[in-house]
């Protein structure tokens, strides 16, 4: 199970809060550029109102948070709580999708064609399921087993 909550510093120091502010100053204008380009591709014209607002708010918040890192902690914790919640859901859904859409069909195809990696049947007549290992004559194989 993917759990992004374990990787977050929940008691950030001054430098960690300043890094958060810098990431806001870089991230929100980058998102604004993406919104601007998406608006151009979708609508055919340069719609600058939303990208300007997103970039300006992020840049202003980043500057204030960088100048006053003592007020950042609640925003930092809220931001990472929301981000980790989204990451928890998306990460586990992606992991389940890969398992169900990739590994399950491979296993079903292998089973349908009778291919089994190991014997898992039950034999009532067998006294033991022990198998003797092949003995290696060459002693140098001891150091290079594979």
């Amino acid at each position: 199970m993917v759990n992004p909550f374990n990787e977050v510093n929940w008691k950030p120091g001054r430098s960690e809060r300043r890094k958060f502010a810098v990431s806001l100053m870089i991230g929100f204008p980058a998102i604004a550029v993406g919104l601007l380009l998406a608006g151009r591709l979708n609508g055919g014209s340069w719609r600058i109102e939303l990208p300007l607002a997103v970039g300006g708010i992020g840049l202003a918040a980043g500057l204030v948070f960088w100048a006053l890192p003592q007020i950042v902690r609640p925003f930092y914790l809220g931001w990472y709580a929301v981000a980790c919640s989204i990451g928890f859901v998306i990460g586990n859904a992606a992991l389940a999708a890969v398992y169900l859409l990739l590994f399950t069909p491979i296993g079903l195809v292998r089973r349908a064609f009778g291919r089994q990696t190991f014997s898992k049947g039950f034999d009532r007549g067998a006294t033991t399921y022990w198998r003797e290992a092949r003995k290696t004559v060459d002693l140098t194989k001891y150091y290079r087993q594979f």
Side-chain angles (χ1 to χ4, degrees):
M1 182 153 121
V2 178
N3 188 1
F5 288 99
N6 292 337
E7 300 172 10
V8 175
N9 180 9
W10 294 106
K11 295 179 182 176
R14 184 180 180 95
S15 66
E16 192 74 25
R17 293 185 301 229
R18 283 217 162 149
K19 284 182 194 175
F20 174 70
V22 169
S23 71
L24 290 179
M25 288 188 284
I26 294 170
F28 273 89
I31 291 171
V33 169
L35 287 173
L36 185 66
L37 293 174
R40 170 71 175 150
L41 292 174
N42 192 23
S45 64
W46 294 102
R47 302 189 68 165
I48 197 165
E49 298 84 18
L50 180 64
L52 190 61
V54 168
I57 289 171
L59 186 62
L63 287 171
V64 169
F65 290 161
W66 189 82
L68 303 169
Q70 61 270 21
I71 66 169
V72 175
R73 191 167 191 271
F75 298 101
Y76 176 92
L77 295 178
W79 183 271
Y80 278 107
V82 169
C84 288
S85 298
I86 292 169
F88 182 78
V89 172
I90 298 298
N92 287 317
L95 189 62
V98 165
Y99 180 79
L100 291 172
L101 298 174
L102 182 69
F103 294 121
T104 302
I106 291 172
L108 291 174
V109 167
R110 287 178 61 114
R111 182 175 285 186
F113 287 112
R115 171 104 187 230
Q116 291 185 357
T117 306
F118 56 91
S119 173
K120 57 183 178 179
F122 184 71
D123 183 11
R124 290 186 186 271
T127 58
T128 182
Y129 286 100
W130 183 264
R131 292 186 188 175
E132 288 293 328
R134 290 181 283 140
K135 301 266 184 196
T136 304
V137 179
D138 186 16
L139 295 179
T140 58
K141 289 285 283 180
Y142 176 77
Y143 295 105
R144 298 184 71 215
Q145 297 178 10
F146 302 106

